[in-house]
Every structure is written in structure tokens, then in C-alpha cells.
Amino acid sequence: MNGEIKPTSDATQALLGARDKGVQTKSEGPAATREPTGAGADSVMLTDKAQQLLQLEEQLAQFPAVDSKRVESIRQAIADGSYQVDAERIADRMLQLEAEQKKSEL
């Protein structure tokens, strides 16, 4: 794992490609719209929301996907037998996640 975050959807990849080509922006309508601009040429218009999403994605790309120092410290604690599992904390968090999931399904 190299820690690089890559766009996962075709739409995100299209938006990133459009950004790299200096695409015009549009403040209303769908996040990205294609409008023909001549003989087979495409143009992409980005909304303010789409631009914000691109900026957030760029900011997230600056952070490593894995905290290597934390992983190594946990690995070392497991190896030397000092790693402690807080079963009560894990159970509480599982219950909290389940409650949040039920709430979001409503």
C-alpha cells in the first residue's frame, strides 16, 4: 500500500480530468454537465459544489492513508505482549455505530 488516494468513480475521474484541462465553471445545474461545443468536442462545466469536492479531495490526498507510526507501535505492543484490548470500549462503539446506522435508515 503506497498511501495514495485515487479517485474511485468515473465521475470523479472526469471532474479531475476536466480540472486539469482548465474547464469553465458554472454555479447552477448538475455537478458536471457535458455540452457539445463544435465538431465532436466536449466541454465540462463544474458547479461550485463540484469545485469544493475537488478541493476536498486534493486536501485529503495530502494525508497518508495509513498512520505508519501508529501501526508500528501497535505491532510492537502485540509482539511484546503489552497490547491491551478494551472490550467494553469496543462493545460501546459497536452499539453506537449500530444506533447511528438504524437512525440513518429512517
Side-chain angles (χ1 to χ4, degrees):
M1 179 182 281
N2 64 7
E4 182 180 340
I5 298 175
K6 296 182 180 178
T8 57
S9 72
D10 291 338
T12 301
Q13 290 174 352
L15 291 173
L16 290 172
R19 181 208 56 213
D20 294 340
K21 294 176 183 172
V23 173
Q24 300 172 337
T25 61
K26 182 177 176 180
S27 60
E28 74 275 345
T33 58
R34 292 183 180 263
E35 298 175 5
T37 58
D42 285 341
S43 171
V44 177
M45 304 290 279
L46 302 179
T47 64
D48 293 337
K49 285 250 190 246
Q51 288 180 331
Q52 289 173 350
L53 289 172
L54 287 173
Q55 288 174 349
L56 286 173
E57 190 167 327
E58 288 172 354
Q59 290 172 0
L60 285 174
Q62 302 301 315
F63 295 101
V66 176
D67 184 348
S68 300
K69 290 179 184 178
R70 183 159 191 246
V71 169
E72 186 54 40
S73 69
I74 292 171
R75 182 176 286 143
Q76 183 62 40
I78 291 170
D80 67 23
S82 64
Y83 184 75
Q84 299 288 321
V85 176
D86 186 348
E88 189 172 326
R89 180 176 173 213
I90 292 170
D92 287 342
R93 183 66 178 133
M94 288 174 67
L95 291 171
Q96 181 183 4
L97 288 171
E98 184 178 5
E100 289 172 5
Q101 183 179 9
K102 285 183 180 179
K103 198 181 293 185
S104 69
E105 290 175 355
L106 298 177

